[in-house]
Amino acid sequence: MKILAFSDLHNDRGTAARLVERSGEADLVIGAGDFASQHRGLEKTIAALSAITAPTLLVPGNNESEVALRGATEGWESATVLHGETAEIDGHTFFGLGAGIPTTPWGWSFDLNEEEATEMLEPLPAGATLILHSPPYGHCDQNSGGTSLGSASIAAAIEAKQPALVLCGHIHESWGARSEIGSSAIANLGPDGTEFELD
């Protein structure tokens, strides 16, 4: 399975158009949150992406809510929003959880605290591909000052369930970073689109 995955578009519809062009070669497209910027521009960005006809899995970032993302994607037939849910595509299992985790300092942000995230991650199937907005603590999560801003609850879930692949975004300074927890490969995506293959 060929996957094209991205995060953190933040209303960049030029990059969205390039992702649409590249999606023709993909069996699955994954968007790991932050399509909007502070809850603005979501509908236009999703409209730009909705030309993607390959199966597409999306999780909300902290810049748009789950409800808003579900509403914006209603007319996009190939897209599925995951937030504490599982999807099966071509024999592969995917689990998605969006939002800023842990809680961010911004009052406008769509966030979960660590306890809420732990509860929502409980159904994560062992060995599934995990789609997140926020990275696990200590992995692909450093800001420009070198501080880790990721989630301890996500790290614990990865340790326990060993997903095959973990895709995230959120921390812009760590776009492109790679790491591992046990046998789980972790990638902070960024907006330009990264290709992966699942056996």
Side-chain angles (χ1 to χ4, degrees), residues 103-177:
T103 304
T104 69
W106 307 300
W108 51 261
S109 186
F110 175 61
D111 294 334
L112 297 172
N113 63 38
E114 295 284 17
E115 292 75 18
E116 291 168 327
T118 295
E119 183 176 336
M120 291 189 75
L121 284 162
E122 283 181 5
L124 169 63
T129 294
L130 179 56
I131 307 165
L132 303 158
H133 182 57
S134 297
Y137 182 81
H139 300 270
C140 306
D141 70 335
Q142 289 190 351
N143 67 9
S144 57
T147 301
S148 286
L149 300 175
S151 164
S153 58
I154 289 173
I158 294 169
E159 289 174 5
K161 301 293 182 72
Q162 289 293 285
L165 179 63
V166 179
L167 303 175
C168 61
H170 189 43
I171 308 302
H172 294 196
E173 296 91 341
S174 285
W175 286 346

Side-chain angles (χ1 to χ4, degrees), residues 1 3 5 28 30 57 59 82 85-89 91-97 121 124-132 158 161-168 184-185 196-199:
M1 172 183 278
I3 297 173
L28 175 68
I30 290 173
L57 299 177
V59 300
L82 299 178
E85 298 153 288
T86 301
E88 299 280 340
I89 297 177
H92 295 276
T93 303
F94 300 86
F95 184 91
L97 183 66
L121 284 162
L124 169 63
T129 294
L130 179 56
I131 307 165
L132 303 158
I158 294 169
K161 301 293 182 72
Q162 289 293 285
L165 179 63
V166 179
L167 303 175
C168 61
S184 298
F196 300 87
E197 289 213 18
L198 287 181
D199 296 330

Side-chain angles (χ1 to χ4, degrees), residues 7-10 31-36 38-39 42 58-69 81-83 97-101 104 108-112 132-134 169-170:
S7 68
D8 302 285
L9 274 182
H10 292 291
D34 275 5
F35 308 96
Q38 296 184 31
H39 303 276
L42 177 63
L58 309 172
V59 300
N62 65 300
N63 276 261
E64 63 273 330
S65 69
E66 173 195 3
V67 170
L69 184 59
V81 175
L82 299 178
H83 187 57
L97 183 66
I101 310 166
T104 69
W108 51 261
S109 186
F110 175 61
D111 294 334
L112 297 172
L132 303 158
H133 182 57
S134 297
H170 189 43

